[in-house]
Amino acid sequence: MITTLCAAILFYLIPISIGYWISKVCRWRIQIPTIWIAGTLTLTLLVAGTSYVGKLFDLSVNIQHILLRFEIVSLLVPLGAFYKDIRTLAKIRLTKHWLMPTIFTVIIIGIGLTIWRGNSPYPSPLNWDIYEHLTLIQQMRQGEFSLYLKSYSDTFLVNTYLPFYHVLLYIPTVLLPVDLFGYYWMLEIVHYIIVVIVSGWIVWSFTHRQRPTVIGVLFGAFVFESYIAYTSLFHLPQTVIAVLSVIMTISLIEGVRRKQWIGWIPLIVWSVFLILSHFFVGTVAAVSLFILAVFLLFIIDREQKGIPLDNVLRWIQVLIVISLVLLMIVIIFNARLGINPFHSDESKYFDLTLAEKNRIFQNWYGLSLYILVPLGSAIGLIKRDLWAKIAVLVALVMLVGIVFPFPYNIKLYTFARFYIHVVMSIGLGWLVMAIRSRRIQIILFSFWIAIMSLVFTFNQQFEFKQYIRYHKIYTHVTEGEIEAAKYLSNTFSDPSEVFLVSEPATQYILEAYTGINSQGGAYADDQTRHLVDFTFPNPDSKLIAQAVKKVEDINNPQSDTTRLFVVSGRFFEWQQATMDQRKANYFNIWRPRDLTQGDLVYINTLKSSSDFELLFENQSMAIFRVK
């Protein structure tokens, strides 16, 4: 566990360390986004160059890894020249003013992690999306690099971002021997802590008041988007880039507050990096950042020209009212405004109605959203507070975008939530301060903490985790499946010489852990699904073997490789699903399932066949080599 925790910290520490000294040498303004981008781009060039050199000189994967380790360490050496800066950071002490909020933050984070991970022990994965990212990491570990995701594996159906995230994910696995599932388990803990801190930080940037900041920490810790967005508890390209975009907003706001414009070049670089890091979430986040920057620049210009602040405030009030009207229009005419340019079955599945979104928000917030957003908006509209008005305007515009009927737009909540929580924090902060009695203030705040923790517990326990219960714990992957994956990794040292066939979920998990290729993983095509469907309950082992041999990865032909047929508990569960479900990419067997006595009848048939050789068997699956 210590090794995987160190690897999770290195995911952040290495790009920040490299980006820091690059920024110092280039005399750029020291800002977290700039440091992160500089470090990430440097590491991406490093991995790409190492892969290119490896192929050019036909270097083994081990030699490439040694070369990459040397390059990374070499890039960290210049950091020593700035040891005085590091010593200065080490001398930073917590002031008495922030002692209690810090203690509160630590306690809230501890409660949140206990609720989330208390019944999902290390290294139990709860994030279904990690397997496709681990599949890409496995390809990088085999010396592959490309800017196009589809070049790595047919698990990726579209190129939705450049692999910056995966480079950062890959680097620690080169430096340290880590269990991949344990690595992600620790990554998501570190990510959760960062999300909670940034949630309070963005509220402080808008308000510069302690009480709303503490409330922002509360919402950051106890709101989990258990559908599509997954901001606080899942470590994904979209969630990491959402947090980065919020830190960019914080840097922008704090610069304006100090009368320091960040400059157009950094703003453009930040925006382009967001877009390349995630073409959907990053693009909307970049556009939002750019519009906010132009708006703030306009305000600075007004102030410099001596135009009274009241005129600016009135214009913002008008924009807030327009945003409220638009929100009401979108809500009232929601069913008539739907746009779906994708026309795929999956996009229809993720095109939610207003009623479905309402149910989702109630799962995430209870009634807090419906009480505190109107209250915070009213306060921002009435009070003569420039930054409160800007916060309300930004949050309302984002709510209009979220409520508008468009496929996948709930994914935008990964960064929109931070701004909506600012308005909620303003509302609850005002509500607490409106009460003169200190005792009643404490009771009200404690009551809201209890309510949010209960909503958080109900949401993750009964809405999210109920589909992945395995015996007494909650997980996507069992010890038996990990044991099988380790067997494959130890038995087949060169994954490129093996091809794996099973139902989509089993392929997805095993390919991620072992690097052994399958056709599409969880996103197998219609032909593969049809052939796997044909294998059960077919009593003729020769026909089963023929069907398995017909499964092909067109992008990576497997004619001369060892072919494995994996029969798992999930395989039999998938066979019992409806035909439409078996054909759908959005349907999977998420809940782990052990083999039953009935399943063993089919497995024994394959054991007795001359067309199959049993390699491995446990309570979760049997692995056969096709002869």
Side-chain angles (χ1 to χ4, degrees):
M1 290 179 68
I2 298 299
T3 304
T4 50
L5 176 59
C6 291
I9 294 172
L10 288 177
F11 175 92
Y12 296 95
L13 188 59
I14 290 176
I16 288 174
S17 299
I18 294 173
Y20 179 78
W21 75 255
I22 291 175
S23 298
K24 292 288 284 188
V25 169
C26 296
R27 297 184 179 181
W28 297 334
R29 186 181 299 174
I30 300 301
Q31 294 176 311
I32 292 176
T34 303
I35 290 171
W36 182 264
I37 293 169
T40 300
L41 293 180
T42 302
L43 289 168
T44 301
L45 289 173
L46 200 68
V47 172
T50 304
S51 174
Y52 176 78
V53 169
K55 290 181 178 179
L56 183 65
F57 295 100
D58 197 24
L59 301 178
S60 69
V61 172
N62 288 335
I63 296 296
Q64 290 184 49
H65 287 176
I66 292 171
L67 180 62
L68 190 57
R69 290 187 196 108
F70 176 77
E71 292 165 344
I72 294 168
V73 172
S74 299
L75 280 175
L76 292 174
V77 168
L79 193 65
F82 305 102
Y83 70 95
K84 291 183 180 179
D85 297 353
I86 299 171
R87 287 178 61 188
T88 302
L89 288 173
K91 290 179 181 179
I92 294 176
R93 295 291 182 268
L94 190 65
T95 63
K96 184 178 179 181
H97 181 68
W98 285 102
L99 179 61
M100 290 309 296
T102 302
I103 293 173
F104 173 81
T105 301
V106 171
I107 292 172
I108 288 296
I109 287 173
I111 293 172
L113 288 175
T114 299
I115 294 172
W116 176 244
R117 281 296 181 182
N119 47 21
S120 299
Y122 180 93
S124 307
L126 296 172
N127 178 352
W128 186 251
D129 291 338
I130 67 172
Y131 307 109
E132 61 198 68
H133 303 299
L134 289 178
T135 295
L136 194 151
I137 298 310
Q138 292 286 9
Q139 292 297 309
M140 286 187 175
R141 291 171 81 170
Q142 295 173 37
E144 299 295 328
F145 183 83
S146 173
L147 292 177
Y148 302 101
L149 301 184
K150 292 173 70 175
S151 299
Y152 290 99
S153 170
D154 51 3
T155 298
F156 291 91
L157 301 180
V158 291
N159 298 306
T160 49
Y161 34 77
L162 298 187
F164 299 142
Y165 170 82
H166 303 89
V167 167
L168 301 184
L169 200 63
Y170 164 58
I171 292 294
T173 69
V174 175
L175 300 176
L176 296 171
V178 296
D179 174 83
L180 291 178
F181 292 164
Y183 175 35
Y184 243 112
W185 197 92
M186 287 297 184
L187 263 176
E188 292 183 337
I189 287 180
V190 176
H191 174 73
Y192 177 74
I193 294 170
I194 292 172
V195 167
V196 174
I197 293 171
V198 171
S199 296
W201 193 7
I202 184 70
V203 176
W204 171 259
S205 293
F206 275 107
T207 65
H208 272 206
R209 287 187 293 158
Q210 192 180 88
R211 185 170 279 103
T213 300
V214 171
I215 295 171
V217 166
L218 172 67
F219 291 128
F222 287 158
V223 173
F224 170 50
E225 302 92 338
S226 53
Y227 186 73
I228 298 181
Y230 308 118
T231 310
S232 58
L233 292 167
F234 282 13
H235 195 277
L236 297 167
Q238 70 195 46
T239 59
V240 172
I241 210 65
V243 173
L244 180 63
S245 74
V246 175
I247 294 175
M248 289 175 178
T249 301
I250 293 170
S251 300
L252 179 66
I253 292 172
E254 292 299 334
V256 172
R257 280 183 174 274
R258 294 191 299 267
K259 310 300 181 184
Q260 294 178 347
W261 171 243
I262 64 170
W264 286 108
I265 292 178
L267 181 63
I268 292 170
V269 171
W270 292 3
S271 300
V272 171
F273 184 81
L274 289 176
I275 293 169
L276 297 179
S277 297
H278 200 290
F279 298 158
F280 182 43
V281 172
T283 298
V284 178
V287 171
S288 303
L289 178 70
F290 211 85
I291 292 173
L292 178 61
V294 172
F295 186 71
L296 293 179
L297 191 61
F298 170 78
I299 291 174
I300 292 174
D301 182 65
R302 300 296 94 181
E303 288 181 344
Q304 290 175 345
K305 290 181 178 179
I307 296 175
L309 181 63
D310 287 344
N311 290 354
V312 177
L313 294 179
R314 276 195 289 271
W315 275 107
I316 298 176
Q317 283 178 321
V318 171
L319 292 175
I320 290 174
V321 172
I322 292 172
S323 300
L324 284 169
V325 172
L326 284 175
L327 183 60
M328 292 299 103
I329 291 173
V330 170
I331 290 174
I332 293 170
F333 299 101
N334 198 268
R336 301 180 185 179
L337 297 174
I339 299 174
N340 185 351
F342 307 109
H343 305 295
S344 66
D345 290 338
E346 185 184 66
S347 67
K348 293 176 184 176
Y349 182 78
F350 290 112
D351 189 3
L352 306 180
T353 65
L354 184 62
E356 289 171 329
K357 290 178 180 177
N358 177 55
R359 185 185 66 81
I360 287 170
F361 282 128
Q362 287 186 19
N363 289 338
W364 297 351
Y365 290 95
L367 297 178
S368 294
L369 183 75
Y370 301 93
I371 296 171
L372 296 180
V373 168
L375 180 60
S377 299
I379 293 165
L381 190 62
I382 295 170
K383 287 186 65 176
R384 193 177 180 275
D385 184 329
L386 172 65
W387 292 102
K389 291 184 187 300
I390 293 174
V392 170
L393 178 61
V394 172
L396 289 176
V397 170
M398 290 187 176
L399 267 178
V400 171
I402 297 296
V403 174
F404 191 88
F406 188 84
Y408 308 107
N409 65 348
I410 288 292
K411 193 182 285 284
L412 300 178
Y413 209 76
T414 49
F415 68 89
R417 68 172 250 154
F418 291 94
Y419 303 95
I420 291 167
H421 290 178
V422 172
V423 176
M424 293 176 66
S425 299
I426 291 171
L428 183 55
W430 178 88
L431 191 62
V432 171
M433 288 301 295
I435 301 170
R436 294 186 178 181
S437 170
R438 178 72 172 172
R439 181 179 298 177
I440 297 178
Q441 284 182 356
I442 293 173
I443 291 173
L444 176 61
F445 188 51
S446 300
F447 170 77
W448 224 286
I449 292 173
I451 290 296
M452 290 306 300
S453 63
L454 286 173
V455 170
F456 178 67
T457 302
F458 178 86
N459 180 32
Q460 58 92 24
Q461 192 74 29
F462 300 107
E463 288 295 323
F464 180 79
K465 287 185 178 178
Q466 64 168 320
Y467 303 107
I468 53 174
R469 182 179 176 86
Y470 175 76
H471 299 325
K472 294 182 179 180
I473 66 170
Y474 295 89
T475 180
H476 278 304
V477 181
T478 68
E479 290 182 2
E481 290 172 321
I482 293 175
E483 180 189 9
K486 287 181 177 178
Y487 165 80
L488 290 173
S489 296
N490 295 332
T491 304
F492 302 101
S493 57
D494 186 355
S496 64
E497 296 180 353
V498 191
F499 187 66
L500 187 150
V501 177
S502 187
E503 53 78 36
T506 300
Q507 292 187 157
Y508 192 47
I509 293 167
L510 292 181
E511 183 173 1
Y513 197 95
T514 65
I516 294 175
N517 188 31
S518 70
Q519 195 288 302
Y523 305 98
D525 61 27
D526 292 340
Q527 175 71 4
T528 297
R529 290 170 184 268
H530 171 73
L531 290 169
V532 174
D533 185 23
F534 175 79
T535 62
F536 181 86
N538 196 324
D540 191 330
S541 61
K542 188 172 291 295
L543 291 178
I544 295 172
Q546 290 175 0
V548 173
K549 289 178 181 179
K550 288 180 181 179
V551 177
E552 289 294 342
D553 181 350
I554 298 174
N555 297 329
N556 187 16
Q558 304 286 328
S559 57
D560 299 325
T561 58
T562 300
R563 188 169 292 258
L564 304 179
F565 182 42
V566 182
V567 183
S568 63
R570 296 177 195 262
F571 171 88
F572 293 103
E573 187 79 16
W574 183 80
Q575 296 287 3
Q576 302 305 316
T578 66
M579 179 61 72
D580 288 341
Q581 287 175 329
R582 294 199 297 274
K583 288 181 177 180
N585 280 335
Y586 57 80
F587 173 80
N588 278 290
I589 306 300
W590 296 282
R591 188 200 304 269
R593 177 184 178 281
D594 289 338
L595 297 170
T596 66
Q597 289 299 317
D599 301 337
L600 294 178
V601 174
Y602 179 79
I603 290 174
N604 289 333
T605 300
L606 298 182
K607 283 182 183 179
S608 61
S609 168
S610 59
D611 298 294
F612 292 93
E613 176 191 356
L614 179 67
L615 300 180
F616 176 89
E617 184 179 9
N618 64 7
Q619 76 277 14
S620 297
M621 65 181 65
I623 301 175
F624 294 91
R625 187 201 308 267
V626 183
K627 295 181 179 179

